[in-house]
Amino acid sequence: MSFNVLLKKDWKQVSLLWILLVFLGIVAYTLPVWTQMQSFDEQVQDIQMNPDEYAEWFNGDASNASVEELFNPQSSYWIGDLQTLIPYGGVIFLYIIFGFLMASVLIGSERNSQMSDFAMSLPFNRNQLYISKWLIGTSGIVVSTLLGGPLMLWMIHASRYSFLIEGHSLKVAALVGFMLLTGIAVFSLALWMGSFGGEAISQVLWSVVALLFPVGILLLIQGSVISFTQNTERVYSVFERAIESVFLRVISPLANVINVDTYNLYTDNSVWQEFLAVAPLSVLAFIVLSFGFGLLTFNRAPQENNGRFFMFSNWLWFVHLMMVLCFAMLGGIILANIAYSTNSILYVIGFLIGGFLAHLLAKRLLYRFNLQLKS
């Protein structure tokens, strides 16, 4: 049987989301640029029509200020720059949402409807099943970027603010490529989590946990340490270096995203060189790792545990322990910061309360919770 059969099956499952992603991807790249340029127009027009109100910024005469001068960060009055035009955060947020949704439809929803049993009966091995789903989801992210990214660049070049991107087209294109890779990384992560969540909702929840966990666990440990020490400056510096480390950027696409300095990327060559050396390679490494581990766990996921919150029964004790520790630290941090200064006694009380509540939640989710699958 041809591999195209698998692709067609997965396409039918996710076609509406795929088309919506492509459409919204184009909108996410272009609409913020258009609205920001409209805002620029209003500010420029206001300065030109009311020069007296801005006289103090232009040595008494604002009427002769050129448009380029208003966008020069070295001038006395500054409207904005290229960084304010590029919708970096909005596009990545869109890819996170749709990456989670498409992955949950491709794996989790199959388990909800028991279509996964039918898929397993087809003359394909699990590697082929997983690769087909990965290709379908990844193609939506690629197509939306290839349509939206160039259109965004054209809009900026064709506008009266094209001087902002002069000499920086390559850098913007590289950032668009990084956003594409980040979208693929998030989708790969969510698809990997389909091997742990026994249905669609739990898969999304595990995807959120996996995205936040590397950075989140560091923040929880940092908050816990601060609750017991007054040397906050040293603690902050240690954990800041950890969050900015290459290792964390390789294992966490979220850490990679927040460490990209989009403000200075276009003006500081050292920031640009660091971006090229670290960010794209880190996200590529994560894609390879998540895809490889996704194949491994998808092959080993016990089909009989469909519908459970967590598929691997042998690892329930470890997940239970991590849930208790994380919620305990969160409870301790919240309670310790009620006082004006952090209080270690309040932290211990919050730690015990948070851990106990997490224990009850874990018992409910991990050992008793099982969704009713559709027949």
Side-chain angles (χ1 to χ4, degrees), residues 178-328:
F178 174 72
M179 290 189 282
L180 164 64
L181 292 175
T182 300
I184 296 174
V186 170
F187 172 73
S188 300
L189 173 66
L191 200 65
W192 176 18
M193 291 301 105
S195 301
F196 298 99
E199 41 77 46
I201 297 176
S202 59
Q203 181 180 349
V204 172
L205 291 176
W206 284 119
S207 299
V208 174
V209 170
L211 182 66
L212 298 177
F213 182 78
V215 175
I217 195 66
L218 278 179
L219 294 178
L220 288 174
I221 295 173
Q222 173 185 284
S224 299
V225 173
I226 290 175
S227 299
F228 287 95
T229 180
Q230 298 300 319
N231 194 357
T232 57
E233 183 177 348
R234 183 178 179 182
V235 172
Y236 280 128
S237 64
V238 170
F239 282 92
E240 184 179 4
R241 288 197 300 271
I243 291 177
E244 293 175 353
S245 66
V246 175
F247 173 74
L248 193 68
R249 295 177 71 166
V250 168
I251 66 171
S252 171
L254 180 62
N256 207 12
V257 167
I258 63 179
N259 276 300
V260 174
D261 186 1
T262 56
Y263 183 79
N264 294 311
L265 183 65
Y266 312 107
T267 56
D268 191 329
N269 283 332
S270 63
V271 173
W272 164 243
Q273 291 170 2
E274 180 186 356
F275 170 80
L276 285 182
V278 179
L281 295 178
S282 296
V283 72
L284 279 172
F286 180 84
I287 292 172
V288 172
L289 289 174
S290 58
F291 180 77
F293 282 116
L295 280 176
L296 179 65
T297 53
F298 189 75
N299 273 284
R300 298 186 177 185
Q303 191 72 6
E304 64 272 14
N305 284 344
N306 282 0
R308 295 186 64 87
F309 186 76
F310 188 76
M311 295 276 285
F312 294 91
S313 302
N314 293 337
W315 288 96
L316 287 176
W317 67 271
F318 180 74
V319 177
H320 190 156
L321 177 62
M322 291 305 298
M323 286 181 65
V324 170
L325 285 177
C326 290
F327 278 94

Side-chain angles (χ1 to χ4, degrees), residues 96-139:
I96 290 175
I97 297 299
F98 272 83
F100 287 177
L101 288 176
M102 286 200 298
S104 67
V105 169
L106 287 167
I107 293 184
S109 293
E110 269 195 356
R111 293 192 171 121
N112 282 85
S113 62
Q114 296 182 333
M115 277 293 294
S116 60
D117 294 331
F118 167 74
M120 294 295 179
S121 68
L122 295 174
F124 299 101
N125 58 46
R126 291 197 180 191
N127 283 344
Q128 291 172 310
L129 294 175
Y130 190 87
I131 291 171
S132 172
K133 300 176 188 302
W134 188 84
L135 290 174
I136 290 294
T138 299
S139 65

